[in-house]
DNA sequence: AATTCGTGGCG
DNA sequence: TCGCCAAGAAT
C-alpha cells in the first residue's frame, strides 16, 4: 500500500523538483532544442533501453538523413537499418516507419495530440505515448520508464515487482497524482534526469539529491532494495559456425530472414551446432563438425569448399536471451554458381546493415 | 503473463 | 568473466 502525500507536500515536491530541473537539468540534449513532436518521437524511440550517451550521435545523424516525417515514411528499409546499425532492437526503426505512414495517411500528416491516440501508433506504447503527449502537447500524463519506476519506488517504498506488467498501473496512477499539470513535460523529464543522476540504480547519491526530504527509502537507508524486480533468466548458450568463404567475386554473403533476431541484416552463412547435431550431448570432434559444415555448405549454397578453422578463440556475443559462441571457418574457392546467397566484394558489403556479431567475425579474418 | 528483441558500460 | 542496467513494445 502506498502512503500517499497530502496536497501541500505534493505541491512542495513539484516546486522542488522543477526548480532543480530549471537549474541543473540537461538542457543541452539535442532533442530538447524544441518540442516538435517528430523530434520528440525520434528521440524517445531511440532512448528505449538505450543510454543517452549512446543515442546522441545516432539522433543527430538520423535527423539529418530523415528531417521530416515524410522523409522517414518514404525511405528504403535498408537505409533505415543502416542508420540504426549498432543501436539494437531494430524493430524499433521498422515500427517507426509504419507509424510515420500511419500519421501521413491516416491522420493527414497531423500528429495526434493525446496519449490515448498516440498509443494506437505502431511502436508507441504507454511510456512513449505519455512522453510525447506531455513534452510536445502538454498533456498531464506520467511517462513511466525505468527511471520513474526507480524514483517513485524509493520515494514511497513501493514493494510491487516492476518486472510484472500489472505493476505499471500502480505507478501510473501515482504519477497522475504527482505530475505538475502546469508543466507535465518538464516534470517527466525532471524525473528522468533525477533517475539518471542522484537516484540512479547504482552509485546513487541521495544525500545530495534535491528531493532527499521526500525519499522514504533514504530516510531509513533501504534505497538499495528499491525498486523490487525479479531477475531475468540467463542467456541460453548457443554454438555457431560462421563461414568466411572467399572467391574472386568477394565473400559469400546473405540477408537474414525478415522475421526474428536481426531481421533483414546481412551476415556470412551461420550454422548453429544444433542444425546438424540432434543430441546436445554428442561428443563430436572439431574435424567431424567441420566435415558436417562442409556438407551443409554444399547442400544449401552449392559451394564445394575445404573449410579450415582459424587460429585463436571463437568470438562471442551476448543478446538478451542468447549467448553466442561463434567459431570462424574459412575457405578460398574459385567463383561458383550459388543456389543461395550472393558473392559480394568486401568494399561493397560495407554498405549493407550488419549486426555487431558480424563485425566481430571480420576482426578474425 | 511470459518471451522476444541489441548493444555498450560498468563494478 | 559475469551480471545487471539503460528514456520499452509487440506478441
Amino acid at each position: 500500500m502506498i502512503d500517499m502525500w497530502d496536497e501541500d507536500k505534493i505541491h512542495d515536491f513539484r516546486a522542488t523538483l522543477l526548480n532543480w530541473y530549471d537549474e541543473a537539468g540537461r538542457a543541452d540534449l539535442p532533442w530538447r532544442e524544441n518540442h516538435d513532436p517528430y523530434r520528440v518521437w525520434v528521440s524517445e524511440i531511440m532512448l528505449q533501453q538505450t543510454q543517452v550517451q549512446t543515442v546522441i550521435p545516432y539522433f543527430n545523424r538520423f535527423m539529418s538523413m530523415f528531417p521530416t516525417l515524410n522523409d522517414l515514411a518514404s525511405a528504403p528499409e535498408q537505409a533505415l537499418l543502416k542508420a540504426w546499425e549498432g543501436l539494437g532492437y531494430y524493430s524499433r526503426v521498422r515500427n517507426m516507419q509504419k507509424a510515420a505512414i500511419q500519421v501521413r495517411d491516416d491522420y493527414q500528416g497531423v500528429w495526434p495530440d493525446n496519449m490515448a491516440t498516440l498509443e494506437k501508433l505502431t511502436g508507441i506504447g504507454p511510456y512513449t505515448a505519455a512522453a510525447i503527449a506531455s513534452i510536445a502537447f502538454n498533456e498531464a500524463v506520467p511517462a513511466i520508464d525505468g527511471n520513474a519506476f526507480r524514483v517513485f519506488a524509493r520515494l514511497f517504498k513501493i514493494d510491487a515487482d516492476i518486472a510484472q506488467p500489472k505493476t505499471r498501473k500502480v505507478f501510473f496512477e501515482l504519477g497522475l497524482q504527482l505530475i505538475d499539470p502546469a508543466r507535465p513535460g518538464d516534470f517527466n523529464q525532471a524525473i528522468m534526469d533525477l533517475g539518471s543522476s542522484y537516484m540512479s540504480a547504482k552509485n546513487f547519491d541521495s544525500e545530495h539529491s534535491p528531493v532527499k526530504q521526500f525519499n522514504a527509502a533514504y530516510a531509513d537507508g533501504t534505497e538499495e532494495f528499491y525498486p523490487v524486480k525479479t531477475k531475468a533468466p540467463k542467456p541460453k548458450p548457443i554454438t555457431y559456425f560462421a563461414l568466411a568463404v572467399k572467391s574472386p567475386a568477394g565473400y559469400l554473403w546473405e540477408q537474414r530472414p525478415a522475421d526474428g533476431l536481426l531481421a533483414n541484416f546481412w551476415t556470412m552463412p551461420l550454422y548453429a551446432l544444433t542444425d546438424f547435431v540432434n543430441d546436445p550431448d554428442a561428443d563430436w570432434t572439431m574435424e567431424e563438425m567441420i566435415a558436417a559444415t562442409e556438407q551443409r555448405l554444399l547442400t544449401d549454397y552449392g559451394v564445394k569448399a575445404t573449410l579450415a578453422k582459424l587460429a585463436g578463440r571463437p568470438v562471442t556475443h551476448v543478446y538478451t536471451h542468447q549467448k553466442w559462441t561463434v567459431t570462424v571457418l574459412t575457405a578460398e574457392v574459385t567463383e561458383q554458381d550459388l543456389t543461395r546467397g550472393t558473392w559480394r566484394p568486401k568494399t561493397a558489403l560495407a554498405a549493407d546493415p550488419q549486426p555487431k556479431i558480424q563485425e566481430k567475425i571480420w576482426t578474425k579474418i
Side-chain angles (χ1 to χ4, degrees):
Chain A
M1 213 44 208
I2 297 176
D3 184 16
M4 193 52 198
W5 301 337
D6 62 31
E7 201 70 9
D8 285 346
K9 188 166 181 180
I10 290 175
H11 281 97
D12 191 7
F13 176 75
R14 290 171 182 165
T16 304
L17 178 69
L18 288 169
N19 283 339
W20 169 74
Y21 180 72
D22 291 338
E23 291 297 318
R26 301 196 55 182
D28 57 318
L29 297 175
W31 45 88
R32 289 184 181 173
E33 209 171 274
N34 61 57
H35 292 168
D36 173 60
Y38 177 70
R39 193 178 185 81
V40 173
W41 172 56
V42 171
S43 71
E44 290 301 341
I45 299 295
M46 282 191 176
L47 285 161
Q48 289 170 6
Q49 303 293 285
T50 311
Q51 300 194 101
V52 166
Q53 178 188 335
T54 303
V55 166
I56 291 174
Y58 281 91
F59 176 81
N60 289 325
R61 201 178 319 130
F62 195 92
M63 292 303 292
S64 303
M65 294 176 69
F66 313 103
T68 71
L69 182 137
N70 283 332
D71 296 321
L72 172 53
S74 60
E77 189 198 43
Q78 290 288 294
L80 294 178
L81 293 180
K82 193 65 186 174
W84 211 265
E85 180 183 57
L87 259 190
Y89 289 144
Y90 300 103
S91 64
R92 287 185 291 177
V93 71
R94 270 188 287 266
N95 287 338
M96 269 211 306
Q97 184 169 49
K98 290 180 189 169
I101 291 170
Q102 286 175 296
V103 173
R104 184 191 65 188
D105 297 348
D106 301 345
Y107 295 87
Q108 290 72 50
V110 180
W111 278 90
D113 65 355
N114 60 86
M115 177 179 172
T117 313
L118 285 164
E119 223 173 323
K120 296 180 189 300
L121 300 172
T122 305
I124 297 184
Y127 162 75
T128 305
I132 298 171
S134 63
I135 296 170
F137 301 111
N138 289 307
E139 186 182 5
V141 284
I144 308 301
D145 69 332
N147 290 305
F149 273 124
R150 184 171 53 257
V151 169
F152 292 167
R154 287 180 184 166
L155 295 183
F156 292 88
K157 295 185 65 177
I158 300 171
D159 292 312
D161 181 2
I162 67 168
Q164 301 207 325
K166 63 180 180 182
T167 302
R168 167 173 296 278
K169 179 179 168 63
V170 175
F171 284 78
F172 185 82
E173 296 300 326
L174 173 59
L176 272 180
Q177 299 184 60
L178 296 178
I179 195 168
D180 189 333
R183 300 178 59 187
D186 287 344
F187 180 94
N188 281 330
Q189 293 180 90
I191 293 292
M192 296 187 231
D193 283 11
L194 192 58
S196 59
S197 58
Y198 293 104
M199 297 186 70
S200 56
K202 298 174 184 173
N203 301 325
F204 45 83
D205 182 17
S206 308
E207 170 63 28
H208 299 98
S209 164
V211 298
K212 75 169 180 180
Q213 70 269 33
F214 299 91
N215 190 338
Y218 171 67
D220 63 5
T222 57
E223 297 158 283
E224 61 180 302
F225 303 113
Y226 297 96
V228 175
K229 184 181 182 182
T230 58
K231 61 178 186 224
K234 274 201 256 185
K236 179 185 169 188
I238 303 181
T239 299
Y240 277 98
F241 294 102
L243 309 192
V245 183
K246 188 181 187 181
S247 85
Y251 283 92
L252 183 49
W253 197 236
E254 77 176 328
Q255 192 170 25
R256 291 175 60 83
D259 297 311
L261 187 66
L262 304 172
N264 286 347
F265 272 61
W266 291 81
T267 67
M268 292 171 173
L270 288 167
Y271 283 109
L273 185 56
T274 53
D275 286 348
F276 39 82
V277 179
N278 291 323
D279 178 8
D281 297 323
D283 195 14
W284 286 30
T285 65
M286 182 58 69
E287 288 70 26
E288 289 170 328
M289 291 188 282
I290 289 175
T293 307
E294 285 173 348
Q295 180 57 50
R296 286 304 195 95
L297 179 61
L298 181 58
T299 306
D300 295 342
Y301 296 85
V303 173
K304 187 170 175 55
T306 301
L307 293 165
K309 179 182 175 301
L310 279 177
R313 298 201 152 284
V315 294
T316 64
H317 192 76
V318 181
Y319 299 95
T320 308
H321 289 88
Q322 298 177 5
K323 179 189 166 96
W324 287 15
T325 299
V326 182
T327 296
V328 182
L329 304 178
T330 62
E332 293 219 20
V333 299
T334 56
E335 190 171 349
Q336 301 178 37
D337 289 335
L338 293 172
T339 56
R340 182 174 142 189
T342 181
W343 297 114
R344 183 98 40 125
K346 193 167 183 181
T347 50
L349 55 75
D352 295 328
Q354 300 170 45
K356 186 55 59 178
I357 185 63
Q358 179 60 52
E359 206 172 286
K360 292 180 179 177
I361 291 168
W362 281 119
T363 68
K364 304 288 292 184
I365 297 168

